Amino acid sequence: MRALASWLAFLPPSRGTLQMLRRRLELAKRGLTILQMRREMLARELVLLLSELRRRREAEEAFARALQRAAELRASRGEIEFRSMASLARPPRIELVAVSYQGVPVRQARVTGEPDLSAVHDPEFREVAEELWRALAGMIEVANVEEAAAEVGKQLVSINQVANSLERSVIPSLEDAVKRVEEWVANRELEDFVRARRLRGG
Amino acid sequence: MELYAVVRAHGLKSRLLRRNDYEAIAGGEKGLYEYPDYSAVSDRDALEEKVEKVYRVYVRRVSLLASLTPELSPLLNALLDRLEFENSKIQLRRLVGGGAHALFYPYGRHIGPSRLSALRSWEEVWGALSEAGLVETPAPEEKSLAGWELALDLAYCRHLLRGVEGSKVSRRSKRALERAALTECSIALSRWSRALGADAVLEAVSGVGLSGVCELLRGVAAKSWSAAEADRLLASEVAKPLEEEYPLEAPFLYAFEIYARLEARNLEKVLTGLHLGLSSGDALKFCAIAL
């Protein structure tokens, strides 16, 4: 901002400079309008994401319950049987993909393959494994929303900084500079007019 | 020798852990290594090492009794052979599950974990059991893991009953041992009714000619016992009556084997519970504490 202020202060006052400054001011104002619209869009998206994050507590509780049940099953069957039965469950396939939230790229975990529990014949093990997977899938969804909220929030902060800078510093500085150069140009025009009248024999 | 073995079994039974011992271990007041039989179990051991050492104690105790009584060794060895059948199931699960590292019971009178872990199919596993004389029939044509495991459980029941049959004890003792073995088998097999349905289990049991088990199983097949309940039932319905009715005869050895087996299982559960950070109460609630 200091660089802009010093650049503006040392601009040679002329009609050309005035035209250039007016173009820049116009551009800055248009940019600000666009950024304000984007800020609103992102803010709306963030509010939506945050409302979805209310499920987090519920998902965490479900996950904690499922873990506790799995721990109890492990303790009730003993390590040897538990480990042996657990080896029958084929893990889910999860991939990281980039998803756009209002144009903000966000890394998201996508379940591309459900866990295969078909070989787990013990009903108790299967129930616990299914409950654990449901809870884990819920946690993955919450983690995706959290990641999206964090990225959208980061983008919002960055846009806010630029918009604030335009609104509070760049545009007022440009307006001041335009005003200053306009006054100078007007004075020059007045001087030229007076000089021309004198020359015409006034 | 039978009486001598029974007296030794009484001595060994006096060293088994009691409720207050389990409470002290689960509560962290005492380390397992403080009990002479488990002095090899160190706090620094990984869970799987601790569990393995605990089962070694069980195997050593029962093997000692089997070596003392040649007339009862068929039964005692058959009881220990349960671990070979369990290891076979573990290997089959490993094969189906994609070959993850498996934890085996430290027992291998016939096959052993190292040979078992090199077997690559149901036919090979059954073949190894057959070579060892643990099964007498050709491999059942089962396609599912549940079918294989049920076939192994049925084969173990037959092996146990052969062990009872092969023991040289009085007719009275043999009848008691047979009844106990049938009850144990029916408790073990009834757990399959949840997975496969009571009718399917009864059909499988009658299909292999275990008529005694079938009769008992009819009464309990519909029950849905948890692992802990089945263990408690084993103690109350099999071990306790044998201990009370035959304190100085061969059946007492069977009762002792059950108590020793339950101790190993209880310790495995307590150690697993402690490893998972469960409370003392939670770690103990799955134990079948018979003494």
Side-chain angles (χ1 to χ4, degrees):
Chain A
M1 282 308 109
R2 209 172 285 164
L4 175 74
S6 74
W7 176 69
L8 288 174
F10 291 103
L11 272 178
S14 65
R15 279 180 186 280
T17 302
L18 183 60
Q19 278 176 355
M20 183 269 286
L21 283 174
R22 278 179 178 157
R23 274 200 310 274
R24 290 212 171 194
L25 181 61
E26 181 62 23
L27 185 68
K29 283 182 174 170
R30 223 169 40 225
L32 177 63
T33 312
I34 291 167
L35 285 177
Q36 280 170 335
M37 279 160 58
R38 178 135 182 81
R39 184 166 62 183
E40 270 176 36
M41 271 162 58
L42 288 178
R44 269 202 301 271
E45 185 68 38
L46 190 61
V47 168
L48 272 176
L49 289 169
L50 290 177
S51 70
E52 277 184 53
L53 272 183
R54 286 195 201 113
R55 285 182 303 151
R56 181 189 167 141
R57 190 178 169 152
E58 199 184 307
E60 277 179 344
E61 281 171 359
F63 190 56
R65 270 198 307 276
L67 278 183
Q68 175 68 18
R69 212 176 150 202
E72 287 188 358
L73 179 68
R74 192 169 167 186
S76 76
R77 296 297 187 88
E79 186 64 9
I80 297 179
E81 191 183 357
F82 182 86
R83 209 181 276 197
S84 156
M85 290 299 281
S87 72
L88 290 172
R90 301 284 179 109
R93 282 189 306 280
I94 298 169
E95 282 175 8
L96 277 181
V97 292
V99 175
S100 167
Y101 279 81
Q102 298 290 351
V104 181
V106 180
R107 278 184 315 164
Q108 299 278 272
R110 284 279 178 269
V111 178
T112 54
E114 297 270 317
D116 181 5
L117 304 174
S118 58
V120 183
H121 54 72
D122 186 303
E124 209 178 344
F125 271 95
R126 191 186 272 229
E127 271 170 35
V128 168
E130 282 169 350
E131 184 183 341
L132 197 55
W133 168 241
R134 276 196 302 274
L136 188 63
M139 287 297 284
I140 290 172
E141 278 176 34
V142 168
N144 281 340
V145 175
E146 258 186 356
E147 180 69 12
E151 288 300 320
V152 169
K154 246 192 264 176
Q155 184 79 4
L156 191 59
V157 167
S158 148
I159 284 175
N160 218 18
Q161 278 173 348
V162 178
N164 282 347
S165 159
L166 283 174
E167 203 170 16
R168 291 178 193 163
S169 175
V170 176
I171 290 173
S173 301
L174 283 170
E175 281 173 341
D176 284 350
V178 166
K179 208 167 158 189
R180 184 167 50 78
V181 176
E182 267 176 352
E183 276 172 14
W184 185 88
V185 169
N187 284 340
R188 285 297 297 266
E189 278 176 355
L190 192 61
E191 277 173 24
D192 288 349
F193 175 71
V194 171
R195 200 177 295 126
R197 282 199 60 174
R198 277 188 193 148
L199 286 171
R200 279 203 297 268
Chain B
M1 287 305 275
E2 180 187 319
L3 186 61
Y4 175 66
V6 171
V7 172
R8 286 295 299 267
H10 274 281
L12 288 171
K13 183 173 169 274
S14 70
R15 296 164 71 113
L16 293 177
L17 302 179
R18 314 262 149 180
R19 176 169 287 280
N20 55 331
D21 296 318
Y22 287 115
E23 284 169 354
I25 295 165
E29 294 151 35
K30 275 182 118 176
L32 189 53
Y33 60 86
E34 291 179 59
Y35 295 90
D37 286 349
Y38 296 103
S39 57
V41 183
S42 163
D43 276 349
R44 287 189 297 275
D45 287 339
L47 175 62
E48 54 193 73
E49 288 172 305
K50 286 181 185 169
V51 169
E52 194 182 311
K53 287 176 182 175
V54 162
Y55 276 99
R56 279 192 196 286
V57 172
Y58 156 71
V59 170
R60 199 168 54 234
R61 283 167 170 168
V62 182
S63 299
L64 171 74
L65 294 177
S67 67
L68 288 175
T69 50
E71 59 270 39
L72 261 169
S73 62
L75 169 67
L76 292 169
N77 283 327
L79 286 166
L80 277 177
D81 289 342
R82 192 183 57 81
L83 297 182
E84 295 263 34
F85 284 88
E86 289 300 322
N87 281 342
S88 302
K89 286 196 222 168
I90 291 170
Q91 176 59 10
L92 289 171
R93 289 175 198 154
R94 191 169 163 236
L95 292 175
V96 172
H101 170 70
L103 188 56
F104 290 98
Y105 291 99
Y107 177 74
R109 197 165 69 91
H110 303 281
I111 309 171
S114 58
R115 196 180 143 210
L116 202 54
S117 60
L119 303 177
R120 287 284 161 263
S121 67
W122 160 240
E123 286 75 19
E124 282 186 32
V125 170
W126 190 270
L129 292 169
S130 180
E131 264 175 46
L134 295 172
V135 296
E136 290 180 334
T137 54
E141 285 181 13
E142 291 288 345
K143 296 279 176 242
S144 68
L145 178 68
W148 295 340
E149 288 195 22
L150 177 60
L152 284 174
D153 279 351
L154 292 171
Y156 170 66
C157 291
R158 289 170 66 95
H159 180 61
L160 181 60
L161 292 170
R162 278 200 305 275
V164 172
E165 196 53 44
S167 299
K168 295 179 186 70
V169 290
S170 68
R171 199 174 291 170
R172 180 173 173 266
S173 289
K174 194 170 272 187
R175 265 205 308 275
L177 288 172
E178 197 176 71
R179 206 170 44 243
L182 288 173
T183 310
E184 176 172 357
C185 291
S186 65
I187 291 171
L189 292 170
S190 69
R191 299 202 59 221
W192 278 106
S193 58
R194 254 189 96 185
L196 304 174
D199 291 340
V201 180
L202 282 169
E203 196 182 318
V205 173
S206 58
V208 294
L210 288 168
S211 54
V213 177
C214 207
E215 273 171 41
L216 284 171
L217 197 56
R218 248 181 258 284
V220 295
K223 310 265 190 224
S224 175
W225 289 315
S226 68
E229 282 167 338
D231 282 350
R232 283 183 202 119
L233 217 56
L234 196 62
S236 63
E237 299 297 313
V238 184
K240 209 78 187 164
L242 288 179
E243 183 192 3
E244 284 169 1
E245 284 178 46
Y246 305 91
L248 293 173
E249 289 170 74
F252 180 80
L253 296 178
Y254 193 166
F256 169 76
E257 188 279 335
I258 291 174
Y259 290 141
R261 193 196 318 168
L262 290 180
E263 178 173 296
R265 271 198 210 164
N266 287 343
L267 284 176
E268 184 190 3
K269 291 172 186 179
V270 168
L271 291 172
T272 307
L274 290 177
H275 175 75
L276 295 171
L278 295 183
S279 67
S280 157
D282 279 347
L284 284 172
K285 79 178 175 195
F286 306 111
C287 294
I289 301 171
L291 301 174

